[in-house]
Amino acid sequence: MIRVEHISKQFDKTKALKDVSLNIERGDIVSLIGPSGSGKSTLLRCIHGLERPDLGKIYLDDEWMNPDDEKKYRSQRNRMGFVFQHFNLFPNMSVLQNCKLAQIEVLNKSNQEAEETALKYLERVGLLEKKDAYP
């Protein structure tokens, strides 16, 4: 469960988010829609910790994601995934290598474990035949 309570974020004089609250239960499918510049990406970046809200709090499974508690915050963030608007895959690495990288470097999985997971998900999304292709 993710709960966002009254977050605001401003860049210089531009208010990207103003008093945004939402509650997402486990299993919910949520779409953020709106015009360009309305704060959709900023909201997602705040939830994942890529941006720090100026005001408000974010909770994961009823636990506050406090950026000042670095160890716990990192652990909470590691339980989330994030797909960027522009994929920014490493062009010198295959699809499979790109899929394994974060698992090995961030989650400390073995190469074999990361590969098994990557292959499972590539198959799930119909991209298994692209595993050796380059972006």
Side-chain angles (χ1 to χ4, degrees), residues 25-67:
E25 297 294 334
R26 186 174 303 278
D28 283 355
I29 298 173
V30 178
S31 295
L32 300 176
I33 59 172
S36 179
S38 63
K40 303 177 300 292
S41 294
T42 300
L43 174 61
L44 293 173
R45 292 175 63 83
C46 286
I47 290 171
H48 193 266
L50 298 172
E51 293 287 348
R52 192 170 183 169
D54 299 325
L55 297 170
K57 291 185 178 180
I58 299 167
Y59 297 84
L60 178 64
D61 292 333
D62 290 321
E63 292 185 2
W64 177 33
M65 293 184 65
N66 179 1

Side-chain angles (χ1 to χ4, degrees), residues 96-113:
L96 181 59
Q97 290 169 321
N98 269 284
C99 290
K100 292 182 345 182
L101 182 63
Q103 296 182 72
I104 293 169
E105 296 296 324
V106 177
L107 301 178
N108 296 314
K109 288 186 176 183
S110 70
N111 184 63
Q112 181 179 348
E113 188 179 10

Side-chain angles (χ1 to χ4, degrees), residues 72-127:
K72 184 175 180 182
Y73 192 64
R74 186 179 311 112
S75 173
Q76 289 170 311
R77 290 184 66 213
N78 285 346
R79 294 175 45 210
M80 292 187 231
F82 193 93
V83 178
F84 294 91
Q85 285 179 309
H86 304 286
F87 301 116
N88 297 325
L89 297 173
F90 294 106
N92 60 322
M93 298 171 67
S94 70
V95 169
L96 181 59
Q97 290 169 321
N98 269 284
C99 290
K100 292 182 345 182
L101 182 63
Q103 296 182 72
I104 293 169
E105 296 296 324
V106 177
L107 301 178
N108 296 314
K109 288 186 176 183
S110 70
N111 184 63
Q112 181 179 348
E113 188 179 10
E115 186 160 326
E116 288 170 4
T117 301
L119 291 172
K120 178 177 90 174
Y121 284 106
L122 285 170
E123 182 174 28
R124 183 181 285 181
V125 297
L127 293 173

